[in-house]
Short mmCIF file of all heavy atoms in Angstrom, two decimals:
data_model
loop_
_atom_site.label_atom_id
_atom_site.label_comp_id
_atom_site.label_asym_id
_atom_site.label_seq_id
_atom_site.Cartn_x
_atom_site.Cartn_y
_atom_site.Cartn_z
N SER A 62 -4.71 0.77 4.59
CA SER A 62 -6.02 0.23 4.92
C SER A 62 -6.76 -0.12 3.64
O SER A 62 -6.31 0.19 2.55
CB SER A 62 -6.83 1.22 5.76
OG SER A 62 -7.10 2.40 5.03
N ARG A 63 -7.90 -0.79 3.80
CA ARG A 63 -8.71 -1.10 2.63
C ARG A 63 -10.18 -1.09 3.00
O ARG A 63 -10.56 -1.34 4.15
CB ARG A 63 -8.32 -2.44 2.00
CG ARG A 63 -9.00 -3.68 2.58
CD ARG A 63 -8.47 -4.03 3.95
NE ARG A 63 -8.88 -5.36 4.38
CZ ARG A 63 -9.43 -5.63 5.55
NH1 ARG A 63 -9.61 -4.64 6.45
NH2 ARG A 63 -9.77 -6.86 5.86
N ASP A 64 -11.01 -0.79 2.02
CA ASP A 64 -12.45 -0.87 2.12
C ASP A 64 -12.88 -2.02 1.23
O ASP A 64 -12.88 -1.89 0.00
CB ASP A 64 -13.09 0.45 1.69
CG ASP A 64 -14.59 0.47 1.89
OD1 ASP A 64 -15.23 -0.59 1.88
OD2 ASP A 64 -15.15 1.58 2.05
N THR A 65 -13.21 -3.15 1.81
CA THR A 65 -13.52 -4.34 1.02
C THR A 65 -14.77 -4.16 0.18
O THR A 65 -14.88 -4.73 -0.90
CB THR A 65 -13.67 -5.57 1.93
OG1 THR A 65 -14.69 -5.34 2.90
CG2 THR A 65 -12.36 -5.87 2.65
N ALA A 66 -15.73 -3.39 0.67
CA ALA A 66 -16.96 -3.18 -0.08
C ALA A 66 -16.72 -2.38 -1.35
O ALA A 66 -17.45 -2.51 -2.33
CB ALA A 66 -18.00 -2.48 0.79
N LYS A 67 -15.69 -1.54 -1.34
CA LYS A 67 -15.38 -0.69 -2.49
C LYS A 67 -14.20 -1.19 -3.31
O LYS A 67 -13.85 -0.56 -4.31
CB LYS A 67 -15.11 0.73 -2.03
CG LYS A 67 -16.30 1.42 -1.41
CD LYS A 67 -15.95 2.84 -1.00
CE LYS A 67 -17.16 3.56 -0.43
NZ LYS A 67 -16.83 4.95 -0.02
N ASN A 68 -13.58 -2.30 -2.89
CA ASN A 68 -12.38 -2.80 -3.56
C ASN A 68 -11.32 -1.70 -3.69
O ASN A 68 -10.68 -1.55 -4.73
CB ASN A 68 -12.71 -3.36 -4.94
CG ASN A 68 -12.92 -4.87 -4.92
OD1 ASN A 68 -13.27 -5.45 -3.90
ND2 ASN A 68 -12.71 -5.50 -6.07
N THR A 69 -11.14 -0.96 -2.62
CA THR A 69 -10.25 0.19 -2.65
C THR A 69 -9.27 0.14 -1.48
O THR A 69 -9.66 -0.15 -0.36
CB THR A 69 -11.05 1.50 -2.60
OG1 THR A 69 -11.94 1.56 -3.72
CG2 THR A 69 -10.12 2.70 -2.64
N MET A 70 -8.02 0.43 -1.79
CA MET A 70 -6.96 0.48 -0.80
C MET A 70 -6.53 1.94 -0.61
O MET A 70 -6.57 2.73 -1.55
CB MET A 70 -5.77 -0.36 -1.26
CG MET A 70 -4.58 -0.35 -0.32
SD MET A 70 -3.22 -1.41 -0.90
CE MET A 70 -2.71 -0.56 -2.39
N TYR A 71 -6.10 2.26 0.60
CA TYR A 71 -5.70 3.62 0.93
C TYR A 71 -4.33 3.63 1.58
O TYR A 71 -3.89 2.64 2.17
CB TYR A 71 -6.70 4.27 1.89
CG TYR A 71 -8.13 4.25 1.39
CD1 TYR A 71 -8.98 3.19 1.70
CD2 TYR A 71 -8.61 5.28 0.60
CE1 TYR A 71 -10.28 3.17 1.24
CE2 TYR A 71 -9.91 5.27 0.13
CZ TYR A 71 -10.74 4.22 0.46
OH TYR A 71 -12.04 4.20 0.00
N LEU A 72 -3.68 4.77 1.49
CA LEU A 72 -2.44 4.99 2.22
C LEU A 72 -2.51 6.36 2.87
O LEU A 72 -2.35 7.39 2.20
CB LEU A 72 -1.22 4.91 1.29
CG LEU A 72 0.13 5.01 1.97
CD1 LEU A 72 0.38 3.81 2.88
CD2 LEU A 72 1.26 5.15 0.95
N GLN A 73 -2.78 6.38 4.15
CA GLN A 73 -2.79 7.62 4.91
C GLN A 73 -1.36 7.99 5.25
O GLN A 73 -0.68 7.26 5.97
CB GLN A 73 -3.61 7.47 6.19
CG GLN A 73 -3.65 8.73 7.05
CD GLN A 73 -4.39 9.85 6.38
OE1 GLN A 73 -5.53 9.68 5.94
NE2 GLN A 73 -3.75 11.02 6.28
N MET A 74 -0.89 9.10 4.73
CA MET A 74 0.49 9.55 4.91
C MET A 74 0.49 10.82 5.74
O MET A 74 -0.01 11.86 5.30
CB MET A 74 1.17 9.79 3.56
CG MET A 74 1.15 8.57 2.64
SD MET A 74 2.18 8.81 1.16
CE MET A 74 1.23 10.08 0.32
N ASN A 75 1.02 10.72 6.94
CA ASN A 75 1.12 11.85 7.84
C ASN A 75 2.58 12.21 8.07
O ASN A 75 3.48 11.42 7.81
CB ASN A 75 0.46 11.53 9.18
CG ASN A 75 -1.02 11.27 9.06
OD1 ASN A 75 -1.71 11.87 8.23
ND2 ASN A 75 -1.54 10.39 9.91
N SER A 76 2.80 13.40 8.59
CA SER A 76 4.16 13.88 8.90
C SER A 76 5.10 13.68 7.72
O SER A 76 6.22 13.18 7.86
CB SER A 76 4.70 13.16 10.14
OG SER A 76 3.86 13.37 11.26
N LEU A 77 4.64 14.09 6.56
CA LEU A 77 5.41 13.87 5.34
C LEU A 77 6.73 14.63 5.36
O LEU A 77 6.81 15.76 5.87
CB LEU A 77 4.59 14.26 4.12
CG LEU A 77 3.53 13.23 3.73
CD1 LEU A 77 2.50 13.85 2.79
CD2 LEU A 77 4.19 12.02 3.07
N LYS A 78 7.74 14.00 4.79
CA LYS A 78 9.08 14.55 4.70
C LYS A 78 9.47 14.70 3.24
O LYS A 78 8.96 13.98 2.38
CB LYS A 78 10.09 13.63 5.40
CG LYS A 78 9.76 13.30 6.83
CD LYS A 78 10.73 12.27 7.37
CE LYS A 78 10.40 11.90 8.80
NZ LYS A 78 11.35 10.88 9.33
N PRO A 79 10.41 15.59 2.92
CA PRO A 79 10.86 15.69 1.53
C PRO A 79 11.36 14.36 0.96
O PRO A 79 11.20 14.12 -0.23
CB PRO A 79 11.99 16.73 1.62
CG PRO A 79 11.60 17.60 2.77
CD PRO A 79 10.97 16.66 3.77
N GLU A 80 11.93 13.51 1.79
CA GLU A 80 12.41 12.22 1.32
C GLU A 80 11.29 11.27 0.92
O GLU A 80 11.56 10.22 0.33
CB GLU A 80 13.29 11.56 2.39
CG GLU A 80 12.56 11.22 3.68
CD GLU A 80 13.50 10.89 4.82
OE1 GLU A 80 14.07 11.84 5.40
OE2 GLU A 80 13.68 9.70 5.13
N ASP A 81 10.05 11.61 1.25
CA ASP A 81 8.91 10.82 0.80
C ASP A 81 8.51 11.13 -0.64
O ASP A 81 7.64 10.46 -1.19
CB ASP A 81 7.70 11.05 1.71
CG ASP A 81 7.94 10.57 3.13
OD1 ASP A 81 8.51 9.48 3.30
OD2 ASP A 81 7.54 11.30 4.07
N THR A 82 9.11 12.15 -1.22
CA THR A 82 8.79 12.53 -2.59
C THR A 82 9.11 11.38 -3.54
O THR A 82 10.24 10.87 -3.57
CB THR A 82 9.57 13.78 -3.00
OG1 THR A 82 9.14 14.89 -2.20
CG2 THR A 82 9.33 14.12 -4.46
N ALA A 83 8.12 10.95 -4.30
CA ALA A 83 8.27 9.82 -5.20
C ALA A 83 6.98 9.62 -5.97
O ALA A 83 5.95 10.23 -5.65
CB ALA A 83 8.61 8.54 -4.43
N VAL A 84 7.04 8.76 -6.97
CA VAL A 84 5.83 8.24 -7.59
C VAL A 84 5.41 7.02 -6.78
O VAL A 84 6.20 6.10 -6.57
CB VAL A 84 6.04 7.86 -9.06
CG1 VAL A 84 4.77 7.26 -9.65
CG2 VAL A 84 6.46 9.09 -9.87
N TYR A 85 4.18 7.02 -6.33
CA TYR A 85 3.66 5.93 -5.52
C TYR A 85 2.80 5.02 -6.38
O TYR A 85 1.90 5.48 -7.08
CB TYR A 85 2.84 6.48 -4.34
CG TYR A 85 3.70 7.00 -3.23
CD1 TYR A 85 4.44 8.17 -3.40
CD2 TYR A 85 3.80 6.32 -2.02
CE1 TYR A 85 5.26 8.64 -2.39
CE2 TYR A 85 4.61 6.80 -1.00
CZ TYR A 85 5.34 7.96 -1.20
OH TYR A 85 6.14 8.42 -0.19
N TYR A 86 3.08 3.72 -6.31
CA TYR A 86 2.39 2.71 -7.10
C TYR A 86 1.66 1.74 -6.19
O TYR A 86 2.22 1.27 -5.20
CB TYR A 86 3.37 1.90 -7.95
CG TYR A 86 4.15 2.70 -8.96
CD1 TYR A 86 5.38 3.26 -8.64
CD2 TYR A 86 3.65 2.89 -10.25
CE1 TYR A 86 6.10 3.99 -9.58
CE2 TYR A 86 4.36 3.61 -11.18
CZ TYR A 86 5.58 4.16 -10.85
OH TYR A 86 6.29 4.87 -11.78
N CYS A 87 0.43 1.41 -6.54
CA CYS A 87 -0.25 0.32 -5.86
C CYS A 87 -0.06 -0.96 -6.67
O CYS A 87 0.13 -0.93 -7.89
CB CYS A 87 -1.73 0.62 -5.63
SG CYS A 87 -2.74 0.82 -7.11
N ALA A 88 -0.11 -2.09 -5.98
CA ALA A 88 0.18 -3.38 -6.60
C ALA A 88 -0.69 -4.47 -5.99
O ALA A 88 -1.05 -4.40 -4.81
CB ALA A 88 1.66 -3.73 -6.45
N LEU A 89 -0.98 -5.49 -6.80
CA LEU A 89 -1.83 -6.61 -6.39
C LEU A 89 -1.11 -7.92 -6.61
O LEU A 89 -0.58 -8.17 -7.69
CB LEU A 89 -3.12 -6.58 -7.21
CG LEU A 89 -4.08 -7.76 -7.06
CD1 LEU A 89 -4.65 -7.82 -5.66
CD2 LEU A 89 -5.20 -7.67 -8.09
N ALA A 90 -1.09 -8.77 -5.59
CA ALA A 90 -0.52 -10.10 -5.66
C ALA A 90 -1.60 -11.14 -5.45
O ALA A 90 -2.57 -10.89 -4.73
CB ALA A 90 0.58 -10.28 -4.61
N PRO A 91 -1.46 -12.34 -6.04
CA PRO A 91 -2.53 -13.33 -5.97
C PRO A 91 -2.65 -14.07 -4.65
O PRO A 91 -3.68 -14.71 -4.41
CB PRO A 91 -2.18 -14.31 -7.10
CG PRO A 91 -0.70 -14.20 -7.23
CD PRO A 91 -0.38 -12.77 -6.94
N TYR A 92 -1.64 -14.01 -3.81
CA TYR A 92 -1.63 -14.78 -2.57
C TYR A 92 -1.21 -13.92 -1.40
O TYR A 92 -0.65 -12.83 -1.56
CB TYR A 92 -0.66 -15.96 -2.68
CG TYR A 92 -0.92 -16.87 -3.85
CD1 TYR A 92 -0.04 -16.91 -4.93
CD2 TYR A 92 -2.05 -17.68 -3.88
CE1 TYR A 92 -0.29 -17.74 -6.01
CE2 TYR A 92 -2.30 -18.51 -4.96
CZ TYR A 92 -1.41 -18.53 -6.02
OH TYR A 92 -1.66 -19.35 -7.09
N TYR A 93 -1.47 -14.42 -0.20
CA TYR A 93 -0.90 -13.83 1.00
C TYR A 93 0.60 -14.10 1.04
O TYR A 93 1.04 -15.20 0.71
CB TYR A 93 -1.53 -14.43 2.26
CG TYR A 93 -2.97 -14.08 2.51
CD1 TYR A 93 -3.82 -15.02 3.09
CD2 TYR A 93 -3.49 -12.83 2.21
CE1 TYR A 93 -5.15 -14.72 3.34
CE2 TYR A 93 -4.81 -12.53 2.46
CZ TYR A 93 -5.63 -13.47 3.02
OH TYR A 93 -6.95 -13.17 3.28
N TYR A 94 1.36 -13.13 1.47
CA TYR A 94 2.80 -13.29 1.65
C TYR A 94 3.16 -12.84 3.05
O TYR A 94 2.84 -11.71 3.44
CB TYR A 94 3.58 -12.49 0.62
CG TYR A 94 3.44 -13.03 -0.78
CD1 TYR A 94 2.60 -12.43 -1.70
CD2 TYR A 94 4.15 -14.16 -1.18
CE1 TYR A 94 2.45 -12.93 -2.98
CE2 TYR A 94 4.01 -14.67 -2.45
CZ TYR A 94 3.17 -14.06 -3.35
OH TYR A 94 3.03 -14.57 -4.62
N SER A 95 3.84 -13.73 3.78
CA SER A 95 4.24 -13.43 5.15
C SER A 95 5.64 -12.86 5.25
O SER A 95 5.95 -12.15 6.21
CB SER A 95 4.15 -14.69 6.01
OG SER A 95 2.83 -15.17 6.07
N SER A 96 6.50 -13.17 4.29
CA SER A 96 7.88 -12.75 4.37
C SER A 96 8.45 -12.18 3.08
O SER A 96 9.55 -11.63 3.08
CB SER A 96 8.78 -13.90 4.83
OG SER A 96 8.71 -14.98 3.93
N SER A 97 7.73 -12.29 1.98
CA SER A 97 8.23 -11.80 0.70
C SER A 97 7.31 -10.74 0.09
O SER A 97 7.34 -10.52 -1.12
CB SER A 97 8.43 -12.96 -0.28
OG SER A 97 7.22 -13.67 -0.47
N PHE A 98 6.56 -10.06 0.90
CA PHE A 98 5.63 -9.04 0.43
C PHE A 98 6.36 -7.81 -0.11
O PHE A 98 5.74 -6.98 -0.79
CB PHE A 98 4.69 -8.62 1.56
CG PHE A 98 5.40 -8.37 2.86
CD1 PHE A 98 6.05 -7.17 3.08
CD2 PHE A 98 5.42 -9.34 3.84
CE1 PHE A 98 6.71 -6.94 4.27
CE2 PHE A 98 6.09 -9.12 5.04
CZ PHE A 98 6.74 -7.92 5.25
N TYR A 99 7.63 -7.68 0.21
CA TYR A 99 8.43 -6.54 -0.20
C TYR A 99 9.00 -6.69 -1.61
O TYR A 99 9.60 -5.74 -2.12
CB TYR A 99 9.58 -6.31 0.78
CG TYR A 99 10.49 -7.51 0.92
CD1 TYR A 99 11.58 -7.68 0.08
CD2 TYR A 99 10.24 -8.48 1.89
CE1 TYR A 99 12.39 -8.79 0.20
CE2 TYR A 99 11.05 -9.59 2.02
CZ TYR A 99 12.13 -9.74 1.17
OH TYR A 99 12.94 -10.84 1.29
#
């Protein structure tokens, strides 16, 4: 999700599993992507 007024993005992570262990990075792209966002 995002709060546009605060220019802040969030990731609510529930039911976490050990396989979710990682360094999590946020990233910004200049355009909308419909199929190559990954």
Side-chain angles (χ1 to χ4, degrees):
S62 63
R63 87 287 193 230
D64 185 334
T65 58
K67 296 181 177 180
N68 265 25
T69 300
M70 178 178 66
Y71 305 91
L72 185 66
Q73 179 67 52
M74 304 188 292
N75 297 326
S76 302
L77 282 163
K78 306 174 181 179
E80 64 194 78
D81 295 318
T82 295
V84 177
Y85 283 70
Y86 298 91
C87 64
L89 173 66
Y92 305 110
Y93 291 145
Y94 292 102
S95 298
S96 60
S97 58
F98 46 80
Y99 58 89

